[in-house]
Amino acid sequence: MVVISEKAPATPTSKWQRSVYLLSRHQYHLSMLTVFDQPVLATNCTRRVTSAVPLQSLTMMNDAFLFEQAEHFATRVIETAVASPDEQITVAFRIALGRRPSTAETEWCQDLLKRQAELYQAESLSPQDAARKALVHLCQTLFNASEFLYAQ
């Protein structure tokens, strides 16, 4: 069993560890967990009720934490793949979905990366920065894929 200090994480990556037991305060609720049906802490939760509401989809698309995670995901893709957009698409699919993209998905992703990079370049970003932001957009899109969100 690993115990993480309340004051400061033991290592820089400790804050990313998953946990079965978390310190929880009855009056402090994380907004993301509330949207995703956080159980009531005052009672035992023997079974979770499944739901899908519009706020969950909006959170997955617009939450700052998820955007930050998409940026980390894009960094990982860039570090793993060569500069080729096709290789980046393949790596992103393997990491997020555990499979290679189909031909149609590859073409759709190439088009998305191209269009997003053009939009970011129009905002006076360098081609490299525009390509990176476009990849972040693709990574966030993969986070919102049904295949990523729901166990089959």
Side-chain angles (χ1 to χ4, degrees):
M1 181 168 102
V2 176
V3 177
I4 299 174
S5 170
E6 292 180 38
K7 304 275 187 233
T11 66
T13 58
S14 291
K15 63 183 179 179
W16 304 116
Q17 292 178 342
R18 294 180 183 190
S19 176
V20 174
Y21 302 102
L22 293 173
L23 175 66
S24 181
R25 294 186 175 96
H26 291 285
Q27 297 300 320
Y28 177 73
H29 300 285
L30 297 173
S31 60
M32 178 177 271
L33 293 180
T34 303
V35 171
F36 289 98
D37 304 324
Q38 176 182 14
V40 177
L41 299 175
T43 62
N44 289 337
C45 180
T46 58
R47 194 185 95 193
R48 297 293 305 272
V49 178
T50 305
S51 72
V53 296
L55 285 178
Q56 293 171 348
S57 297
L58 291 170
T59 298
M60 290 298 296
M61 290 188 298
N62 299 315
D63 189 72
F65 172 76
L66 288 164
F67 185 75
E68 180 183 324
Q69 296 310 305
E71 288 179 331
H72 291 303
F73 182 19
T75 300
R76 182 175 172 194
V77 169
I78 290 168
E79 290 172 354
T80 305
V82 294
S84 161
D86 288 345
E87 182 67 23
Q88 290 177 343
I89 292 167
T90 300
V91 168
F93 266 75
R94 285 198 179 214
I95 293 171
L97 307 178
R99 65 173 179 83
R100 294 181 62 84
S102 68
T103 304
E105 289 169 331
T106 301
E107 290 172 2
W108 180 86
C109 291
Q110 288 170 338
D111 185 50
L112 175 72
L113 290 174
K114 180 182 172 213
R115 285 185 293 121
Q116 288 299 318
E118 289 172 356
L119 287 172
Y120 290 126
Q121 283 180 353
E123 295 176 2
S124 303
L125 287 177
S126 69
Q128 294 81 13
D129 290 341
R132 186 183 189 297
K133 286 191 76 142
L135 183 60
V136 170
H137 189 87
L138 174 64
C139 291
Q140 187 173 17
T141 301
L142 288 175
F143 280 162
N144 285 283
S146 292
E147 191 174 345
F148 180 82
L149 294 172
Y150 301 103
Q152 302 291 326

